[in-house]
Amino acid sequence: VVLLVVVGAPIVEELFFRGLLFSALRKRGVGAVLTIVITGVVFAGFHFEPTRFFVLLPTGILLGWVRWKTGSTGASMVAHGVVNAPGAIVLLVGIPDVTP
């Protein structure tokens, strides 16, 4: 599960959000800032977690900014993996007195 959270999800999600969607919007003449915001909103909504939407939105915007600044979905994949790593570590080792 940890491998999927840190490696699998970032690859798949970044290929779609910062690869296909980001590129399609830019090719259609959408500005960089609006493209970053749109892909961030779609990213946050895609997770179907209304209570975490406003946590996921800045994450999606940050990943969009990384994609825009570097021109690379690989960079946003690595950044996504780094963002997911703390949660994956908690899944792996738990938090004493909190997780079973």
Side-chain angles (χ1 to χ4, degrees), residues 82-96:
V82 168
V83 167
N84 285 4
I89 291 167
V90 168
L91 286 174
L92 184 64
V93 299
I95 298 176

Side-chain angles (χ1 to χ4, degrees), residues 3-47:
L3 210 51
L4 287 175
V5 170
V6 177
V7 178
I11 290 172
V12 172
E13 291 180 9
E14 293 308 308
L15 283 174
F16 177 73
F17 296 113
R18 261 61 67 181
L20 296 172
L21 182 58
F22 189 100
S23 296
L25 291 169
R26 295 294 285 148
K27 284 180 184 174
R28 284 169 178 70
V30 178
V33 172
L34 186 54
T35 295
I36 291 167
V37 170
I38 290 170
T39 58
V41 168
V42 174
F43 171 81
F46 166 80
H47 286 84

